[in-house]
Amino acid sequence: MDSLCETLQKLKLTAAEGGVDNLERDLDGLLKALAHSNAEASEKIQESGILKVFLDLLAPQSSCAPKVANIIAEIAKNEFMRSPCVDAGLIPPLVQLLHCKDQEILLQTGRALGNICYDSHEGRSAVDQAGGAQIVADLIRSLCQNTEPANQRLLTVFCGMLMNYSHDDDILQAQLIGMGVIPTLVKLLGIHSQNAALTEMCLVAFGNLAELESSKEQFASTNIAEELASLFRKQAEHEKKEMIFEVLAPLAENDTIKLQLVDAGLVECLLDVVRQTVDSNKDEDIAELKTASDLMVLLLLGDESMQKLFDGGKGSVFQQVLSWVPSHNHQLQLAGALAIANFARNDGNCIHMVDAGIVQLLLDLLDRHVEDGNVTVQHAALSALRNLAIPVVNKSKMLSAGVSDEVLKFLKSEMPPVQFKLLGTLRMLIDTQADAADQLGKNAKLVGRLVEWCEAKDHAGVMGESNRLLSALIRHSKSKDVIRTIIHAGGVKHLVTMATSEHVIMQNEALVALGLIAALDLGSAEKELEGASLVPILHRLLSDDLSAPEIKYNSMILICAVMGSEPLHKEVQGLTFLDVISKLRSHENKTVAHQASLTEQRLTVQS
């Protein structure tokens, strides 16, 4: 390192005297020392104060400029040197060098700016203030068509510089998007797809920008889908495929791009990946299988892309995805079930799938996961069954196929996501199905579990769905036996609480169910209704100007229904119901106003 100190001293003197040959020699000495031990040499360079000397040597007319830029690029590989480079004022002269035509100057300047920006807020800020990003973006645009190796290397450096400049910084990424960098990079990828280094840098830049929501629209206006699908087909190496996957995942969140990727044939590429990796035990193949199948499921979240692949139930992709469900691979089972759930997003598809026997596929899958099963597979299969049960014509077919019996096997599950989907599936199945609601509503084990889950305060979704299913069992069965099972299990208080929900639909479902309880078996329920403060709650709902018309209407129906109970009748008399209800006679909703008149008469007669 003594020779380095000597070189630094000489360089200071030579720079002051202006001897070009000696300058070149001393700069070569610095580069040699950096190549030997970069960190140590960089430290000596910083201590020597030579960075200030570099300012004059970076002038565009200086023959030393490329070597000085190269030295800055080398020292800026060290984190501790980036701020000193900024503090020494090196950024503005480096940015000015970007106006040169000399390829070596451009290359070393791009490297220097890129390394200074790497993980350095000061570096990025200085380049931003000097307008460096715009100049580099314009250079990439102007050099884009040139496929000479030296130019490709320069483009790779410039792409890397922009990536370092904007990495993990939403504001700078948005700035680049505003400069129109995305269409340029997509064009670059198409023209230079044979150049591995440049392609890789484009992919990293895409991955950097694609996370930003504002980028998706710009990506969608390019042929990025075709370029990525084409590039994917050419890849044999796992690492390269993984890089493309990392770009595809955020892009495929956009519905327009989903459809473009389907049109570009990406789905066939994904199916090939699945076929090639499904029987492998290698970690990288297992990871690739997961990524490919997850991406396939993501593409199906777009309505147009999903419908295109469904193709009236005849689509080859749809058929192949179905073959994943009986697979022995858990990841494929999961992806297959999720894919069915995504295909089951409109009535036509659901009806076709039930008629095609897909329900049995899902039941067989669930049966394999009852004892110590895979929770994600259980959740996905139940999601698919829930969606399939939405069309009215499917409900009786699915009940006949034994769906409710299979679903009930998961009552013992302690996993909230499974509980949530189980409840939703049963609620969909019994909608308008009186016999099924009657049968399930008399199942004490089911009703007991529902009452237990109605108290699952840590899991609002499970709690809400349990309440809704309790209500649905009563509303669709209209059965005294069902009501008694629910009263016996302690479910009435939960329905009363549900009437105070922030969701109008849940309030209404609760009030209708309570109305049926009062109409069909008031004697058995009066203690629970009194204990749950039903009458004061109804008074509050009727007094509240914010209550929806249907809530006011059903509250009045319920008030009339509970008048047959002596203790509840007394509670009604003890509150100012007549005052509240007389005001509702002038309610803007005619149904509410009419019911208010009827309720007022009833209360007056029975008071």
Side-chain angles (χ1 to χ4, degrees):
M1 279 295 144
D2 289 344
S3 59
L4 173 59
C5 294
E6 198 177 311
T7 303
L8 288 166
Q9 285 303 320
K10 283 182 190 170
L11 185 55
K12 280 185 185 176
L13 293 169
T14 314
E17 292 164 5
V20 175
D21 290 342
N22 288 338
L23 264 177
E24 294 275 355
R25 182 200 63 212
D26 295 338
L27 292 170
D28 284 338
L30 283 191
L31 284 167
K32 195 174 174 183
L34 286 163
H36 176 67
S37 178
N38 192 310
E40 201 177 339
S42 295
E43 214 169 322
K44 294 286 183 193
I45 288 169
Q46 185 191 0
E47 289 166 1
S48 71
I50 202 82
L51 292 180
K52 290 282 186 190
V53 174
F54 288 166
L55 274 173
D56 294 331
L57 301 179
L58 285 172
Q61 64 274 18
S62 165
S63 60
C64 301
K67 275 183 185 166
V68 175
N70 188 359
I71 289 167
I72 295 168
E74 289 302 315
I75 62 176
K77 287 177 179 177
N78 302 286
E79 189 182 348
F80 67 86
M81 286 302 292
R82 289 168 201 151
S83 290
C85 285
V86 174
D87 296 340
L90 298 180
I91 300 297
L94 281 169
V95 169
Q96 285 310 303
L97 286 179
L98 293 170
H99 294 292
C100 294
K101 300 294 178 199
D102 183 281
Q103 209 160 37
E104 182 62 17
I105 288 180
L106 289 173
L107 182 76
Q108 299 304 341
T109 303
R111 286 183 64 234
L113 289 170
N115 289 351
I116 291 170
C117 283
Y118 184 78
D119 212 12
S120 165
H121 174 70
E122 293 84 358
R124 293 171 184 183
S125 186
V127 171
D128 181 22
Q129 285 168 19
Q134 182 69 67
I135 298 168
V136 171
D138 292 341
L139 281 168
I140 293 173
R141 203 171 290 120
S142 65
L143 299 169
C144 184
Q145 304 281 354
N146 186 335
T147 55
E148 290 174 13
N151 188 66
Q152 287 181 324
R153 180 158 185 242
L154 183 55
L155 285 168
T156 305
V157 166
F158 281 160
C159 285
M161 180 261 162
L162 289 184
M163 187 195 71
N164 286 355
Y165 171 74
S166 64
H167 182 65
D168 263 357
D169 188 314
D170 288 358
I171 293 168
L172 295 180
Q173 286 170 1
Q175 183 194 78
L176 293 185
I177 291 164
M179 290 174 188
V181 161
I182 286 171
T184 305
L185 291 176
V186 174
K187 197 173 172 186
L188 207 61
L189 185 67
I191 296 168
H192 302 273
S193 61
Q194 300 303 315
N195 185 296
L198 183 48
T199 298
E200 210 165 290
M201 200 54 80
C202 282
L203 288 172
V204 175
F206 289 148
N208 196 18
L209 296 172
E211 296 290 345
L212 214 61
E213 202 49 47
S214 58
S215 74
K216 309 278 169 67
E217 209 171 305
Q218 230 180 77
F219 273 116
S221 68
T222 70
N223 63 336
I224 183 73
E226 289 171 40
E227 295 296 356
L228 290 175
S230 168
L231 190 64
F232 193 90
R233 285 186 200 99
K234 298 172 189 168
Q235 302 309 320
E237 292 174 41
H238 168 75
E239 286 77 14
K240 290 284 170 64
K241 286 182 187 174
E242 201 59 42
M243 283 188 81
I244 300 171
F245 276 141
E246 281 174 17
V247 179
L248 287 168
L251 287 181
E253 288 169 9
N254 177 278
D255 282 1
T256 306
I257 299 174
K258 281 184 181 81
L259 186 59
Q260 291 171 354
L261 290 169
V262 168
D263 288 338
L266 179 70
V267 170
E268 288 71 21
C269 299
L270 299 177
L271 290 170
D272 283 343
V273 169
V274 169
R275 278 192 289 272
Q276 290 158 15
T277 56
V278 67
D279 296 320
S280 172
N281 291 321
K282 290 183 189 169
D283 287 348
E284 62 181 37
D285 286 341
I286 292 167
E288 210 168 285
L289 172 74
K290 180 178 180 347
T291 309
S293 54
D294 283 350
L295 187 52
M296 174 70 95
V297 171
L298 181 58
L299 291 176
L300 293 173
L301 279 173
D303 287 338
E304 285 186 79
S305 52
M306 176 273 286
Q307 212 54 44
K308 186 159 196 161
L309 294 172
F310 187 69
D311 192 18
K314 301 184 202 79
S316 65
V317 172
F318 170 63
Q319 296 298 335
Q320 287 184 71
V321 168
L322 289 185
S323 72
W324 293 356
V325 178
S327 157
H328 291 290
N329 184 300
H330 280 186
Q331 173 58 32
L332 278 194
Q333 291 172 6
L334 171 65
L338 287 172
I340 292 172
N342 286 347
F343 280 123
R345 286 211 315 279
N346 64 54
D347 283 7
N349 290 8
C350 289
I351 292 164
H352 177 92
M353 286 194 277
V354 168
D355 289 343
I358 285 167
V359 168
Q360 196 55 51
L361 265 183
L362 294 167
L363 294 182
D364 291 343
L365 177 61
L366 275 174
D367 215 39
R368 292 158 69 183
H369 288 275
V370 174
E371 299 299 329
D372 303 319
N374 183 299
V375 172
T376 52
V377 174
Q378 292 171 359
H379 182 262
L382 289 167
S383 295
L385 286 170
R386 181 199 174 280
N387 288 3
L388 291 171
I390 293 171
V392 175
V393 295
N394 281 358
K395 297 179 194 294
S396 59
K397 293 173 186 174
M398 291 177 70
L399 286 163
S400 299
V403 172
S404 60
D405 294 336
E406 186 63 42
V407 171
L408 287 173
K409 292 177 185 176
F410 293 89
L411 270 181
K412 59 189 175 185
S413 173
E414 295 301 331
M415 305 305 294
V418 174
Q419 294 166 356
F420 180 74
K421 286 299 175 186
L422 172 157
L423 293 163
T425 306
L426 290 176
R427 188 166 62 79
M428 281 300 157
L429 278 172
I430 65 165
D431 191 13
T432 71
Q433 304 298 303
D435 290 345
D438 185 67
Q439 189 185 345
L440 288 170
K442 290 186 290 194
N443 182 328
K445 188 179 174 188
L446 167 63
V447 173
R449 197 74 160 123
L450 293 184
V451 170
E452 183 187 328
W453 287 340
C454 281
E455 294 169 2
K457 290 185 172 55
D458 292 341
H459 304 287
V462 172
M463 193 165 75
E465 276 294 335
S466 299
N467 278 298
R468 293 190 76 186
L469 183 52
L470 268 185
S471 162
L473 290 168
I474 295 169
R475 287 182 296 110
H476 297 301
S477 71
K478 298 181 175 62
S479 157
K480 203 168 184 176
D481 289 338
V482 169
I483 288 169
R484 287 208 169 148
T485 305
I486 289 170
I487 293 170
H488 183 70
V492 172
K493 64 182 178 187
H494 296 299
L495 292 172
V496 175
T497 304
M498 182 181 169
T500 64
S501 166
E502 59 189 14
H503 305 291
V504 173
I505 191 167
M506 287 179 67
Q507 280 186 295
N508 211 37
E509 287 171 0
L511 290 169
V512 172
L514 289 165
L516 285 164
I517 290 173
L520 295 171
D521 201 358
L522 182 57
S524 301
E526 74 179 3
K527 275 188 185 172
E528 282 76 10
L529 293 171
E530 189 181 5
S533 303
L534 173 66
V535 173
I537 284 169
L538 293 175
H539 188 271
R540 196 163 72 239
L541 290 174
L542 289 168
S543 307
D544 189 349
D545 292 337
L546 298 175
S547 289
E550 60 267 40
I551 301 305
K552 291 187 183 294
Y553 174 82
N554 281 317
S555 294
M556 286 187 282
I557 295 281
L558 189 46
I559 280 295
C560 293
V562 301
M563 293 297 278
S565 156
E566 193 180 333
L568 295 174
H569 187 169
K570 276 184 184 171
E571 278 197 82
V572 173
Q573 287 179 315
L575 292 165
T576 55
F577 270 97
L578 272 171
D579 293 349
V580 173
I581 287 164
S582 64
K583 286 177 189 170
L584 293 176
R585 281 170 51 200
S586 56
H587 196 277
E588 60 187 2
N589 183 294
K590 286 180 182 174
T591 310
V592 171
H594 178 64
Q595 185 57 42
S597 296
L598 295 175
T599 306
E600 187 179 40
Q601 288 169 26
R602 181 77 188 272
L603 292 180
T604 307
V605 168
Q606 293 201 301
S607 62

